[in-house]
Amino acid sequence: MIVAGEPSGDLHASHVVQALKAQNSEISFYGMGGDRMEEAGVSLNIHIRDSAVMGIAEAIAVLPKFLKKQALLKKHIREKPPNALILIDFAEFNMPLAKYAHAQGVPVVYYIPPKAWAWRPGRAKKLAKYANLIASIFPFETEFYQNAGASAKFVGHPLVDFAKTDLTSTQAREKLGLKNDTQVIGLMPGSRRSEIQRILPTIFKTTAYISSKLPNTEWILPLAPGISEELISECKNGIEGIPDIKLIRNETYTAMRASTLMLVTSGTATLETACIGTPMIILYRTSWLNWRIINVLTPLEHSGLPNLIAGKRIAPELLQDDLTPDNLTNHTLELLSNPDKLDAQRNLLNNVYKKLGEPGTAERTAQLVLELAASTHNDTPD
């Protein structure tokens, strides 16, 4: 049984399923996920359409729906116990499943575990009780869970396998129809409608300011899956002086390679940008309630994943009230006018990339799942 709750988890889960099938073609799968898992051969008891939420306030609103989905999956665990339960990310939903499966005697592998090192560290000790194995994607995360008493192994970060491009900057620009003698700024305002609505208008105001000072600048915006051009246009309402911005579909890594600088919403996209090696400014804004809760529960000095992995501020962070057009303009102009600072960040991002492990994350995770399932089966009396 394999459970993912949002598009990124669906993607990573599908890779693990494919790796498991490559190692043992007789394995069958069921659970909760999306189109990619279904295409990989998972019989879906629940599809994740409309499951993705951002922030605690939004999660509370959909709690009844989530509880029904949990109950259905628990029923399947009880009535059709799997040889192993693989949980992918989606902590608030998946941790109760881990506890239930453990009580039913089903081995649990948690791949991409809860970020307990970021907030609510008590979850690490709970998961140490429920999960037979934690397949961790960060070296520091592995140590954190081991210190909490968990059986945790570093499998590497899945982005290493596919967040890449063979194109040079010149080739990427040529492919996207950009000039070679300009500064290209890439915009990634998020992958959810709510975060785009909160962040993109500020970015648009910034593009207007910068274009007036640096006319030899081109702008590109790689569209996240499921994000419409209409939503992008809505965020322009009432803002004057916005330059031409090229919208790009299905060429995110090409866009990153073509860019001099990326303005990126905090999340997985910052780590993808780090893998490509493009300097960035990290942005974040959420609802007032979510931000207050985050400030109470999160003891971290840094927000962006590249900074967390580096253990220091290598990319500027503009979060919540600090994310203003003036601040973003000033930080952007400072980096664009200082090539040495851009080069320094590139070097530090390369160090971050090296800490993410070698390619083959899904294959290593699949091998651990098979070993756990086999050892548990062998320990079970006939």
Side-chain angles (χ1 to χ4, degrees):
M1 185 178 197
I2 185 162
V3 179
E6 50 190 353
S8 62
D10 177 47
L11 173 65
H12 299 317
S14 70
H15 292 159
V16 173
V17 169
Q18 291 164 358
L20 280 164
K21 284 191 167 185
Q23 297 184 43
N24 186 334
S25 60
E26 296 182 358
I27 300 177
S28 60
F29 301 86
Y30 66 101
M32 171 173 147
D35 292 344
R36 290 180 180 271
M37 287 171 62
E38 194 166 38
E39 291 167 2
V42 180
S43 177
L44 295 182
N45 305 109
I46 300 173
H47 197 286
I48 63 170
R49 295 183 188 92
D50 303 323
S51 288
V53 295
M54 181 184 177
I56 296 171
E58 293 178 22
I60 292 173
V62 298
L63 182 59
K65 185 188 298 184
F66 275 23
L67 291 176
K68 288 182 180 179
K69 292 179 180 180
Q70 278 184 346
L72 178 59
L73 293 173
K74 288 177 180 179
K75 179 181 177 183
H76 285 295
I77 291 172
R78 184 172 63 251
E79 297 180 353
K80 185 186 175 184
N83 295 101
L85 169 64
I86 307 171
L87 302 172
I88 316 286
D89 204 358
F90 213 48
E92 304 306 325
F93 186 92
N94 276 336
M95 282 195 66
L97 287 181
K99 180 179 181 180
Y100 185 82
H102 175 75
Q104 296 293 315
V106 173
V108 176
V109 176
Y110 211 124
Y111 174 48
I112 311 179
K115 296 177 178 61
W117 39 268
W119 68 304
R120 293 171 58 197
R123 293 181 296 174
K125 291 186 177 180
K126 290 182 179 179
L127 200 54
K129 296 178 182 178
Y130 308 142
N132 299 70
L133 177 68
I134 293 175
S136 171
I137 61 174
F138 299 114
F140 69 85
E141 178 180 74
T142 307
E143 183 179 358
F144 178 86
Y145 272 102
Q146 288 173 344
N147 290 339
S151 175
K153 294 189 178 180
F154 176 58
V155 294
H157 200 287
L159 283 180
V160 173
D161 285 293
F162 56 87
K164 54 189 176 183
T165 174
D166 294 329
L167 299 177
T168 65
S169 176
T170 299
Q171 291 169 335
R173 291 188 177 200
E174 182 178 348
K175 185 174 183 178
L176 299 178
L178 302 169
K179 300 174 183 177
N180 270 325
D181 59 349
T182 60
Q183 304 215 68
V184 176
I185 301 179
L187 313 175
M188 296 195 72
S191 59
R192 298 180 177 94
R193 184 180 184 89
S194 58
E195 63 185 355
I196 290 173
Q197 290 174 325
R198 289 190 176 101
I199 292 171
L200 190 52
T202 297
I203 293 178
F204 279 150
K205 291 176 184 177
T206 301
T207 67
Y209 295 156
I210 292 176
S211 293
S212 66
K213 296 178 178 293
L214 300 176
N216 195 35
T217 301
E218 293 185 277
W219 304 85
I220 55 176
L221 195 161
L223 290 166
I227 298 302
S228 67
E229 296 182 11
E230 288 74 21
L231 175 59
I232 304 302
S233 295
E234 288 174 14
C235 294
K236 294 181 179 180
N237 289 342
I239 303 173
E240 297 181 356
I242 299 174
D244 290 335
I245 297 173
K246 183 185 288 289
L247 302 183
I248 297 169
R249 184 81 71 178
N250 302 323
E251 291 285 357
T252 298
Y253 300 141
T254 303
M256 289 177 176
R257 178 55 55 82
S259 297
T260 312
L261 177 70
M262 296 289 300
L263 311 183
V264 193
T265 294
S266 184
T268 303
T270 63
L271 207 52
E272 291 177 297
T273 307
C275 288
I276 300 300
T278 302
M280 74 189 87
I281 298 173
I282 298 170
L283 320 174
Y284 186 74
R285 181 181 287 136
T286 185
S287 69
W288 178 89
L289 176 59
N290 282 337
W291 185 245
R292 293 298 175 269
I293 294 171
I294 289 170
N295 278 335
V296 171
L297 298 178
T298 306
L300 296 176
E301 184 179 352
H302 310 297
S303 173
L305 286 169
N307 293 336
L308 285 169
I309 295 169
K312 59 183 179 180
R313 185 69 58 89
I314 64 176
E317 296 182 1
L318 294 176
L319 316 178
Q320 203 65 10
D321 293 341
D322 288 336
L323 179 54
T324 65
D326 284 345
N327 284 344
L328 184 52
T329 297
N330 291 337
H331 277 81
T332 301
L333 291 175
E334 181 182 0
L335 282 171
L336 291 179
S337 60
N338 288 278
D340 289 345
K341 289 189 176 182
L342 291 174
D343 287 340
Q345 191 182 140
R346 289 188 189 97
N347 291 333
L348 292 169
L349 290 174
N350 186 50
N351 293 336
V352 168
Y353 176 75
K354 291 177 180 178
K355 292 182 179 180
L356 297 179
E358 299 295 325
T361 296
E363 288 74 16
R364 287 189 289 271
T365 303
Q367 184 60 41
L368 291 174
V369 172
L370 289 176
E371 290 173 359
L372 175 63
S375 65
T376 307
H377 176 74
N378 292 335
D379 290 341
T380 303
D382 293 334

